[in-house]
Amino acid sequence: MDQICDESICTGCGLCKSVCPEQAINMTEQGVFGHLRPEISSDKCVDCGLCQEFCPSLRKETSHKIQKVYSAWLIDDGRRAGSSSGGVATAFYDEALRRGYAVTGVKKTIDFGAKMVVTTDPQDIIAFKKSKY
């Protein structure tokens, strides 16, 4: 087998590698952006087809279910700045603190590590934003 699916639809999820009983698939970085793509070792592949059978990009949709979807963002531009969630996490933190709860978040450390923190200090929410977690 040369390839599992067309490269234009491959998401690089690695499921093909996980289901291969012969360990014939390695995920390798390709292109300038380093996208992961499966590379098949022809000497190990036994053409069992499991990689194609499980590939999410090759699966046909079997049903269409209408789902409710919600979106939100913090109206205050200044407090929303730097948030990857549109400021929604900040709003949840604020409300939890207002109700007397402690909140949990991640702070970036000086050595570029990450530290999980439980706090009741509103100033910590600012540091949580900068952690990207």
Side-chain angles (χ1 to χ4, degrees):
M1 178 178 308
D2 291 338
Q3 67 180 38
I4 297 158
C5 68
D6 187 88
E7 190 174 299
S8 66
I9 62 170
C10 177
T11 64
C13 71
L15 184 58
C16 53
K17 175 183 169 71
S18 298
V19 299
C20 180
E22 302 299 318
Q23 297 178 335
I25 301 171
N26 286 311
M27 301 302 290
T28 58
E29 290 184 13
Q30 295 182 357
V32 294
F33 297 111
H35 296 295
L36 293 176
R37 298 288 184 252
E39 190 173 279
I40 303 166
S41 298
S42 57
D43 58 321
K44 292 181 180 178
C45 180
V46 295
D47 289 321
C48 67
L50 284 175
C51 55
Q52 289 182 320
E53 182 180 334
F54 282 88
C55 177
S57 296
L58 294 176
R59 299 194 87 143
K60 301 272 188 226
E61 275 190 52
T62 56
S63 67
H64 297 278
K65 181 179 177 184
I66 296 173
Q67 297 180 356
K68 289 183 180 181
V69 178
Y70 301 92
S71 65
W73 62 91
L74 195 60
I75 294 171
D76 183 333
D77 291 339
R79 299 212 55 231
R80 186 177 64 244
S83 295
S84 58
S85 67
V88 174
T90 299
F92 287 145
Y93 283 140
D94 288 347
E95 183 61 18
L97 293 176
R98 189 185 70 74
R99 292 181 181 205
Y101 293 100
V103 295
T104 302
V106 176
K107 284 184 169 183
K108 185 170 45 175
T109 61
I110 292 174
D111 62 349
F112 300 104
K115 180 180 179 183
M116 184 161 283
V117 177
V118 177
T119 186
T120 56
D121 184 352
Q123 290 300 310
D124 285 330
I125 295 171
I126 297 165
F128 292 167
K129 284 186 189 180
K130 296 178 180 167
S131 72
K132 197 59 179 157
Y133 290 95

